[in-house]
Amino acid sequence: RVVLAREVNMAELAEIRKRTQVEIEAFVHGAMCISYSGRCVLSNHMSHRDANRGGCSQSCRWKYDLYDMPFGSERKSLQGEIPEEYSMSSVDMCMIEHIPDLIENGVDSLKIEGRMKSIHYVSTVTNCYKAAVDAYMERPEKFYAIKDDLIDELWKVAQRELATGFYYGTPTENEQLFGARRKIPQYKFVGEVVNFDSSTMIATVRQRNVIH
């Protein structure tokens, strides 16, 4: 099995499928790297955490002050002139609306970001994608009937604005950089149901939130 880089577009994915019988795993949901995937050293340099071994501190997500530094002159702050303080923070990828394209182009496995994410995030996102795949494989019309509901369900977890990454072309600056969120999650993960007795209708819930 090969895991394709986030920068691979749909046409390239289809071409890879035609030329090999190896299983293809494609990234479909989660954080996009502002650098080339697997080649960023910001985290290593700034926090001594290896970005390419699962320890990325996501330095690109921090706020940065930008300066104009002409050679031989004093630096000038561009604060106020640049509309976005998160000048290196990209939006997240979301391909749930395009499950048909991924399946028809021969993707064998979907890769969803889960490292350093909460149980609530992982379970919600994976359940949505599983429902989308199952629905499309059963009957394409069923997928399109539940697609909007699945998108609403995805917004119950904390994430940045969503886009399709490089799948349908190189994103522009406005499409790639993170700005204001379209939706703020209104749900909090408070507990995990670990057992349910159908005869007594009593559920055992493991508390997951902090009680002050």
Side-chain angles (χ1 to χ4, degrees):
R1 173 178 294 187
V2 294
V3 181
L4 302 184
R6 291 168 172 84
E7 292 79 18
V8 173
N9 62 43
M10 195 64 74
E12 292 168 335
L13 188 156
E15 186 66 21
I16 292 170
R17 175 74 290 162
K18 290 178 183 178
R19 293 172 177 264
T20 181
Q21 297 302 312
V22 175
E23 289 186 352
I24 293 176
E25 184 171 328
F27 190 80
V28 296
H29 197 97
M32 290 288 290
C33 184
I34 200 65
S35 178
Y36 285 101
S37 296
R39 297 188 180 183
C40 179
V41 294
L42 269 181
S43 179
N44 303 61
H45 177 72
M46 301 175 75
S47 62
H48 303 290
R49 288 171 54 179
D50 196 332
N52 301 326
R53 297 184 181 181
C56 183
S57 60
Q58 298 192 336
S59 310
C60 58
R61 308 299 186 196
W62 304 347
K63 285 186 178 181
Y64 289 93
D65 291 329
L66 300 182
Y67 295 89
D68 182 12
M69 299 181 67
F71 183 75
S73 303
E74 292 186 6
R75 69 179 186 176
K76 172 191 174 186
S77 174
L78 297 178
Q79 189 172 8
E81 298 181 32
I82 305 297
E84 183 51 68
E85 293 178 306
Y86 296 97
S87 53
M88 291 196 294
S89 184
S90 65
V91 299
D92 285 357
M93 179 189 285
C94 176
M95 287 293 290
I96 198 163
E97 294 186 66
H98 305 282
I99 288 296
D101 277 356
L102 294 165
I103 292 175
E104 297 302 330
N105 281 297
V107 172
D108 297 288
S109 177
L110 307 181
K111 187 175 181 65
I112 296 171
E113 179 189 18
R115 186 181 290 124
M116 297 188 291
K117 291 291 188 180
S118 68
I119 295 174
H120 176 46
Y121 178 95
V122 173
S123 62
T124 299
V125 175
T126 54
N127 282 338
C128 285
Y129 275 87
K130 184 179 187 304
V133 171
D134 289 347
Y136 185 78
M137 296 301 291
E138 180 181 336
R139 193 174 70 254
E141 294 80 7
K142 185 175 181 180
F143 164 76
Y144 292 108
I146 66 172
K147 182 181 69 173
D148 290 343
D149 290 336
L150 294 178
I151 294 171
D152 288 340
E153 186 71 13
L154 282 176
W155 278 106
K156 291 181 180 179
V157 299
Q159 55 197 336
R160 302 173 188 86
E161 188 63 40
L162 302 174
T164 56
F166 289 83
Y167 275 111
Y168 300 104
T170 302
T172 65
E173 177 182 333
N174 291 334
E175 292 170 328
Q176 185 173 9
L177 289 181
F178 167 70
R181 284 182 181 171
R182 177 177 53 185
K183 294 184 179 181
I184 302 297
Q186 301 297 316
Y187 299 83
K188 290 186 180 296
F189 182 42
V190 297
E192 176 186 2
V193 178
V194 295
N195 187 50
F196 177 72
D197 189 329
S198 58
S199 61
T200 61
M201 300 298 288
I202 294 177
T204 303
V205 179
R206 179 184 292 124
Q207 177 195 329
R208 303 293 298 194
N209 65 325
V210 178
I211 295 180
H212 297 284

